[in-house]
Amino acid sequence: MDLNDFELIYKENKVKIKDKDKVKSKLRNILGETNFSDSPIDLLAYSKDGTIVGHNWTLEGKIAGLPDYVVWPETKEQICEILKLANLEKIPVIPYGEGSGVVGGAIPVRGGIIIDMKKFNKLLCISDKDLTVTVEAGMNGMNLERFLNAKGYTSGHIPQSSYFSSVGGWIAHKAAGQFSTKYGKIEDIILGMEVILPKGEIIKFKPIVRNATGPQLNKLFLGNEGTLGIVTEATLRIWPYPEERSLISYAFSTFEDSLEAVRLILREQLYPAVIRIYDKDETRRHFPHIGNANGKVMVVFVCEGNKKLVQLEEDITRRECVKFRGVDCGDEPVKHWFETRFNVTETSSSPQYHLTIDTIEIAASWENAANIYHNVLEKVKAIKGIVLFTAHVSHFYPNGVGMYFSFAGVEMEEGSNFEFYQKVWNTAIKAVLDAGGSIAHHHGIGINRSNWMDEEWGKGMPLLRDIKKILDPNNIFNPGKIFDRCWKGGDS
Ligand SMILES: Cc1cc2nc3c(=O)[nH]c(=O)nc-3n(C[C@H](O)[C@H](O)[C@H](O)COP(=O)(O)OP(=O)(O)OC[C@H]3O[C@@H](n4cnc5c(N)ncnc54)[C@H](O)[C@@H]3O)c2cc1C
C-alpha cells in the first residue's frame, strides 16, 4: 500500500521530522519491537477518529491526518521517555484512547507519534466502602461496566460509545453518559486521577470527595483533549446496581410542553437516570410504530434505584407529564430505546449515499433552550442542500440542558462536501452563541469547534493559551486542537 495515493486533508503545518530513522530506532529502544509501528497499514488506521465526515473521506480516497509512528506503551516510564524524545526533537504526540471522538480530537493533524493507551487497561481496585473503582486510563468503557455489573455495581456512566471508548478519552473529552441526569457527567463521577505532563512530570490528584485547597488544578485536565497531559489512571465513583427500574414514556404536542414537564420534574429534586426528548422529526424517525406519538414530541424516562424512591419518582414524573397534556405511550418506546441505544447504522451507512452527516451538541439554560432550538433549526434549514435537521435533548440539570442536533445534506453549490460540512457546523454554532448558549456540551472542541474558542471564552482564551505555553513550551501535545484554529469561521 502506498499512502501517497491518498489525498491528505490536514496537510498544512505537518511537522517535518529531521531524521525519521533515528527517531524510529530510539522509540524502538524505549518500547521494544512489538509496541512500535510505522507500517503504512497502522499509520492509515490511526489517521482518523470517529468524526463522521471521516467515513466520507475514506470512500473518497482521502485521509484526515497522517502520523509518523504509532506506539503502545505499557508503563509510565516509557511514556516519560517518549515525551523526553518528543520534546528534544519537537515532534507532536497525540494521546489516543479508542478513537471514538467525533470532533477530530485524536486526528494527528501535524503528524507525529500516536500514543495509544490501550495497554493501560487494568482494573486496579474497588472499594465497596467508599464506592469507588480505580482503573488505568486505557480501560474500555463497556469492559469496565460489565466488570462492575458482575460484582453488583454500575459506574452510571454509559455513553453511546461505551463499546469503543476509554476512561482516559472520557476524561480528556469531558464525556456525558446516557444515564447522566441521575449519576452525573464524568466531572461528577471522577474523584482522582494521575496525569503525565508534557515535560514528563507525573502528578497525582488524590481520590477525595472534595477539598478546599486553593484553585482546583485537577479541573484543568478535565476536557484537556490530550493537549495538556496524558491521563494514566483514574478513580471513579460507582453505585450499587439499581434494585428497581421503571420505564415511562409520554408524547407531547409541542417541544416547549415537553421541556416544561421535564424542568418541573427536576425542580422537585427528582433525577430520572435517563430522560430523552425527541423533537417531532426525530420522533417520526425513531418511533414510527408508536401510534400515540404520531405528529408529537416523544419523551422517554428511566427511573431507577431504591424501589420506594423509584415509585415516588415515577408518580411525580407522570403527574408533571399529564399537567402538560402528555399522552401516555407505555413502556414500549423505552424498551425500543434500550434495544437500539448503541446502534449506529444510520451513521455508518449514509456516506455511501454521498450524504454528509454529523451531530452537534450544545448547552443551554432553561430560559433559552427553546429559543436556541428554534434559532439553530431556522438558520441551518436555510442552508441549500440540507435534507435533514433534527434534535433531541438528552442531558438535564435543574438549571438547563444538553441539546443534540443531527444533520444530513449534500453540497449544492460550488464547494466540496467538506465545505458544506463546515458551513453547517459554523452556522449552527453561531446560532447557538447568538441565542446565548454554549458551543459544546460533551463531544469537546477538537478541530471542529476550535475556531469558536475565542468567542466562547472571551478574555479567558489568551489566559488558557498562556497556561498551555507554560505546561507545553514546545507545543508537542496534540497541536492544532483547542488552542489553534483549524477551520475558517468564528471571529477569525
Ligand atoms: C457512535 C458514537 C457515540 C458517542 N456517544 C457519546 C456519548 O454518549 N457521550 C459522550 O460524551 N461522547 C460520545 N461520543 C464521543 C466519544 O465517544 C467520546 O468523546 C469519548 O469520550 C472518546 O473516548 P476515546 O477513548 O475514544 O477517545 P479518543 O477519541 O481516542 O480521544 C479523544 C480525545 O481525548 C484525548 N485522549 C484520549 N485518551 C487520553 C488520555 N488517556 N489522556 C489524555 N488525552 C487523551 C485524545 O488526544 C483526543 O483529543 C460518541 C461517539 C460515537 C462515534
Side-chain angles (χ1 to χ4, degrees), residues 205-248:
F205 298 106
K206 282 182 209 171
I208 202 86
V209 282
R210 180 179 196 275
N211 45 18
T213 49
Q216 299 301 285
L217 187 60
N218 49 348
K219 297 280 189 286
L220 200 57
F221 299 94
L222 282 171
N224 90 81
E225 301 187 17
T227 63
L228 300 177
I230 300 190
V231 182
T232 46
E233 205 177 292
T235 299
L236 308 175
R237 288 198 162 107
I238 56 173
W239 305 91
Y241 198 80
E243 177 188 18
E244 178 79 356
R245 195 173 251 180
S246 135
L247 312 182
I248 304 163

Side-chain angles (χ1 to χ4, degrees), residues 38-50:
D38 61 351
S39 74
I41 192 69
D42 285 327
L43 300 186
L44 185 64
Y46 286 85
S47 68
K48 64 196 280 254
D49 64 359

Side-chain angles (χ1 to χ4, degrees), residues 63-64 74 90 106 111 330 402 417 443 475:
I63 48 181
E74 293 184 32
K90 314 273 189 296
N417 282 331
H443 284 165
N475 194 23

Side-chain angles (χ1 to χ4, degrees), residues 95 97-101 105 159-161 166 169-170 172-173 175-176 225 229 231 344 442:
E98 302 217 2
S100 71
Q160 195 199 13
S161 55
S166 68
W170 296 345
H173 243 306
E225 301 187 17
V231 182
V344 288
H442 58 271

Side-chain angles (χ1 to χ4, degrees), residues 57-112:
W57 292 337
T58 303
L59 293 178
E60 292 164 9
K62 296 172 182 168
I63 48 181
L66 201 59
D68 296 282
Y69 317 98
V70 183
V71 299
W72 295 268
E74 293 184 32
T75 66
K76 293 172 216 169
E77 291 69 30
Q78 286 176 339
I79 295 180
C80 293
E81 286 297 308
I82 297 165
L83 297 185
K84 213 188 278 174
L85 174 65
N87 271 303
L88 198 69
E89 302 285 339
K90 314 273 189 296
I91 303 173
V93 295
I94 304 95
Y96 195 98
E98 302 217 2
S100 71
V102 284
V103 288
I107 297 177
V109 287
R110 306 225 171 133

